[in-house]
Amino acid sequence: MTQTLRDTLVGFIIAGLTLTAFLVMGGGAYGKAPIGIADPGVLVGWALPFSKVLNDVAAVMVIGFLAAAAFLVPSTDNEVQGLSVQAVRLASRWATVWAVVSVVYFFLLLSGDIFGKPLTDVAWADITGFLGFSEGRAILLQALGAAVIAVATRFTLGIRSVAGMLGVSLATLAPIALTGHSASSGSHDLATTSLYLHVLGVTLWVGGLAALGWVAIRGSKRLEPAVARYSTLALWSFVVVGVSGLVNAAVRLRSLADVFGTSYGLLVVAKVVALVALGAFGVRQRRRIVAAGSGFVRLATTELFVMAAAIGLAVALSRTPTPVGDRVLQTPAEELLGGPLPAAPTVLRLLWGWSGNGVGLAIVALGVALYLRGVVAMRRRGDAWPIGRTISWMVGMVVIAWATFGGLGEYSHVLFSAHMASHMMLSMVAPIFLALGAPMTLALRTLPGPRQPGEVSPRAILLSFLQSRFSRVVTHPVVGPVLFVGSLYGLYFTGIFEALMSNHLGHAVMEVHFLAVGLLFYYVLIGIDPSPHALAPVARFGALLVTVPFHAFFAIAVMSSNTVFALDYWRDIDRPYRTDLLADQYLGGGMAWAMGEIPLVLVMVAILFQWFRSDSREAKRFDRAEDRTEDAALEAYNARLRDLAEHGKRRDPNQ
């Protein structure tokens, strides 16, 4: 038996023992149901949590091996080489396991938790009924994603393609994570988003270490630079796992007394202890490698065993009843909003209110952290970064915060006018400041470059993406304005708006869409960051000039409409204030007009200023060229004028 296989089996045993112990301690273990209550049987009762452990381990291994092949282990070509080829093949095999176990988990969950009957009694109607639940669809989507990865990684060895498969793998984690908490319980957005970030951090952290442990056992000379890059990834993952875990636990714990007074709270404490221990292992590992250049395998193996125990603990925690329980929300408004209806809006509440919007919190937290990390990296190596760009980026983050989880975001789900104001902030105001912050330029200057000649580095991958055919199409001067304006009409004058407003994921989709479309529009117009299409100021000015009337027409159409958008949604909310829906919609249209046109006019002024500066730079460049040639062009021009004056007409220059 090889060391790799032996360590893998030991890891599974540790995870299984930990799972069993904490299931019993937390009350999530299988117990025979009382007479008259549906019982799936002992096989399903115990196989269900163990299949979840195997499912999680398979996902971790897929992501770890793909991350190692794409980013951690150095390469000298556009394709993976040596051990990296084997890493991609191992990722393919683990992806097959991931897909198969996901299907098994689907049937075990259907049998055990949904209908409470043995597997032999499951009927086709039960399967189709489970597919009616978001959780059932999410599991099969994960199985499908894993199957695609298993097949695709059999036929690709390009660094960029492997990096793309890593992105697909991380996205495949999303369906289950985003349906991991009942939509009928409070703080749904915050719970699901923090859970997804938690899962992302864990899989990259544990998977990367597992893959590097395998590389170390194989005796690769490329281990040292791979470990150095992994240390940065591990640090970011540690922070993301810690913060997201605390947020997710806070949603499930009612008070500080629940931390030590409930089984769920004690499991959370155990998980925190495991996280701290893993952080200590990581620090010790890095110090030892820096000091002695060795000792990675022993420390990594110990750390992986602790991680295996943590995975078992996490699965046990997910099956342990929480102190708050899955409290069924009392009214249709609470079900739609994920919490109680806020009080009537006031200026103070709109300015300083709070909403548990996980998507907005994630965007702002990661946006601020990554940008400041880039600025610090620039300063450490002695390069200047304009303070104005940093301030502009932070202002954009503040606008996003207010429009998503601030006071405006809190009322954006309750009032159409507040929703439209939030929409305008995300698509018209925040992107201006973000584009002026030049994030792509900062990323290109601070992302890791090649560690050896020929390596496809993260910086090179980003640059190739910016120069790709996809980017050329998306950043075409026509595409941005069409998406920017067309999505307004397509969203609000169809049934799409009501469909998205009626579920939690729909709110997140709209917020991300508004921000993304606005960023794309201003990315091209403002033109600070590199783009496949370098537009002259006059072209950008023309694109903006064409866009303004269509945006104004949209606002007028909203104000003059006699049809209430998403009427059933507002009726279900049944708010006791601003009950005139058409009046609130009219106000929203007016906000769209005012808050839309003012930023566009400001950008127009900025483009005119850039145009003036461009002409000034061109004039200075021409003057410098003339100084070098002693005004040769001017003398030639004057000579031509004298010739015309003497002969009265233009002569053939060859005569």
Side-chain angles (χ1 to χ4, degrees), residues 102-452:
S102 294
V103 175
V104 173
Y105 179 66
F106 173 87
F107 284 99
L108 289 173
L109 190 65
L110 164 67
S111 170
D113 284 359
I114 305 302
F115 293 106
K117 60 174 63 175
L119 280 172
T120 53
D121 294 341
V122 172
W124 178 252
D126 298 328
I127 298 174
T128 55
F130 188 33
L131 288 176
F133 292 92
S134 59
E135 190 173 7
R137 295 192 298 269
I139 297 172
L140 289 190
L141 279 175
Q142 179 179 268
L144 178 61
V148 170
I149 296 165
V151 174
T153 48
R154 298 288 298 176
F155 301 99
T156 180
L157 292 175
I159 296 290
R160 294 173 178 83
S161 300
V162 173
M165 284 295 100
L166 174 61
V168 173
S169 302
L170 295 174
T172 302
L173 297 171
I176 289 183
L178 295 179
T179 57
H181 292 271
S182 173
S184 63
S185 61
S187 304
H188 177 272
D189 292 349
L190 195 56
T192 54
T193 305
S194 61
L195 178 61
Y196 180 51
L197 291 176
H198 194 74
V199 171
L200 283 183
V202 168
T203 51
L204 286 170
W205 186 10
V206 181
L209 184 62
L212 290 188
W214 173 78
V215 171
I217 292 173
R218 301 299 298 271
S220 173
K221 296 179 180 179
R222 296 184 286 174
L223 176 64
E224 186 175 348
V227 171
R229 180 166 287 180
Y230 170 75
S231 296
T232 302
L233 175 64
L235 177 59
W236 279 96
S237 298
F238 177 82
V239 174
V240 170
V241 168
V243 173
S244 61
L246 288 175
V247 170
N248 201 270
V251 171
R252 299 300 161 196
L253 296 170
R254 293 170 298 188
S255 64
L256 190 60
D258 286 338
V259 176
F260 297 100
T262 64
S263 298
Y264 186 89
L266 291 175
L267 291 184
V268 170
V269 172
K271 196 173 179 182
V272 171
V273 172
L275 179 65
V276 173
L278 290 171
F281 271 118
V283 172
R284 185 181 176 189
Q285 182 185 93
R286 180 161 186 164
R287 288 177 177 174
R288 173 168 292 192
I289 291 172
V290 170
S294 61
F296 175 80
V297 175
R298 184 167 63 85
L299 279 173
T301 302
T302 305
E303 188 175 354
L304 282 170
F305 288 160
V306 176
M307 288 176 170
I311 290 176
L313 171 58
V315 174
L317 189 65
S318 69
R319 298 190 61 78
T320 300
T322 66
V324 298
D326 278 338
R327 181 179 64 89
V328 177
L329 301 173
Q330 300 299 316
T331 66
E334 288 186 348
E335 293 178 0
L336 289 169
L337 300 176
L341 187 73
T346 63
V347 174
L348 189 61
R349 287 171 181 159
L350 284 170
L351 288 177
W352 302 109
W354 158 261
S355 171
N357 188 309
V359 174
L361 279 167
I363 291 173
V364 172
L366 292 175
V368 170
L370 291 171
Y371 195 92
L372 290 181
R373 179 64 184 87
V375 173
V376 170
M378 292 281 289
R379 296 296 173 85
R380 282 180 176 175
R381 70 186 188 203
D383 294 335
W385 183 254
I387 186 65
R389 290 183 177 179
T390 303
I391 293 174
S392 178
W393 180 266
M394 295 306 159
V395 171
M397 290 290 109
V398 170
V399 173
I400 294 174
W402 185 49
T404 54
F405 58 86
L408 182 61
E410 181 181 16
Y411 286 94
S412 66
H413 301 170
V414 181
L415 297 169
F416 181 84
S417 54
H419 164 84
M420 187 59 70
S422 174
H423 178 171
M424 293 298 107
M425 285 291 173
L426 290 173
S427 63
M428 303 290 293
V429 180
I432 297 176
F433 294 101
L434 298 181
L436 290 173
M440 290 296 104
T441 301
L442 181 62
L444 289 172
R445 293 185 182 180
T446 56
L447 279 175
R451 291 166 289 184
Q452 58 189 41

